[in-house]
Amino acid sequence: MNQELSMTNESFKFLSQSSDFLNLVLNNINACVLLLDKDLRLKAYNNALKTIFTSRKDEDLIYIKCGEAIGCADQVEEQKECGFTTKCLSCELRVAALTSYVKDKPMFHQHIVKPFLTHEKTKVDKHLQFSTRLFHFGNEKYIILIIEDISKWYDNDKTPIKENE
């Protein structure tokens, strides 16, 4: 997305004058907002990353591959770099991000269930909803990956919980 095009939304025009305010907004969103490069390495992230995915709570995650930063259990169990495990070719997060990057095709509200490790190295399945989009800034291309943990809407047998329960 061209920087000029992103500034045409009048309701957010005032943000162009305040990077501090924009950072506060991003860090107070409940969903993870991840900025990835072509190798799926983190270039930036908001605070929700360290609350939704707690495997590396106190570490700097810049330039770490996405699966490693979010505590993908497959990557840890196989002791391989993100992108090289037996499950990476079918990882919905990876496929969606790369599709957005290569084909400039956004993905919206995709749902997955995937195992992740906590800071205590406990394996937990999380229900995630995610969206991806390619954008251009300067001469670079990036992927925005937005991830929401929707696990609380599912019970232990993976059945959606009805709102009136």
Side-chain angles (χ1 to χ4, degrees), residues 75-111:
Q75 181 267 323
V76 173
E77 286 174 352
E78 292 187 27
Q79 297 182 1
K80 292 185 178 177
E81 184 179 1
C82 175
F84 295 96
T85 74
T86 59
K87 303 214 173 130
C88 287
L89 287 177
S90 61
C91 173
E92 295 95 335
L93 288 171
R94 182 177 183 74
V95 170
L98 291 173
T99 298
S100 289
Y101 189 88
V102 172
K103 296 183 178 180
D104 194 5
K105 180 180 176 186
M107 302 292 202
F108 299 105
H109 305 293
Q110 303 293 307
H111 178 246

Side-chain angles (χ1 to χ4, degrees), residues 19-139:
S19 62
D20 290 338
F21 185 79
L22 183 57
N23 282 325
L24 282 170
V25 169
L26 283 170
N27 281 318
N28 282 286
I29 293 174
N30 291 330
C32 290
V33 179
L34 309 177
L35 180 65
L36 306 170
D37 66 11
K38 65 180 172 48
D39 298 318
L40 302 185
R41 292 188 189 279
L42 282 179
K43 292 297 201 172
Y45 57 91
N46 67 345
N47 289 342
L49 173 64
K50 292 187 178 185
T51 57
I52 293 175
F53 302 104
T54 60
S55 67
R56 294 176 170 232
K57 205 172 198 137
D58 298 321
E59 296 180 42
D60 183 17
L61 302 174
I62 297 296
Y63 305 117
I64 291 176
K65 288 211 173 176
C66 182
E68 296 164 20
I70 63 177
C72 172
D74 300 321
Q75 181 267 323
V76 173
E77 286 174 352
E78 292 187 27
Q79 297 182 1
K80 292 185 178 177
E81 184 179 1
C82 175
F84 295 96
T85 74
T86 59
K87 303 214 173 130
C88 287
L89 287 177
S90 61
C91 173
E92 295 95 335
L93 288 171
R94 182 177 183 74
V95 170
L98 291 173
T99 298
S100 289
Y101 189 88
V102 172
K103 296 183 178 180
D104 194 5
K105 180 180 176 186
M107 302 292 202
F108 299 105
H109 305 293
Q110 303 293 307
H111 178 246
I112 63 170
V113 180
K114 192 167 176 52
F116 294 92
L117 293 180
T118 67
H119 185 63
E120 296 82 28
K121 305 300 180 211
T122 304
K123 189 173 174 180
V124 293
D125 282 341
K126 290 187 179 244
H127 289 262
L128 304 176
Q129 180 173 282
F130 70 93
S131 300
T132 63
R133 177 180 289 274
L134 173 73
F135 80 99
H136 298 267
F137 185 76
N139 294 327

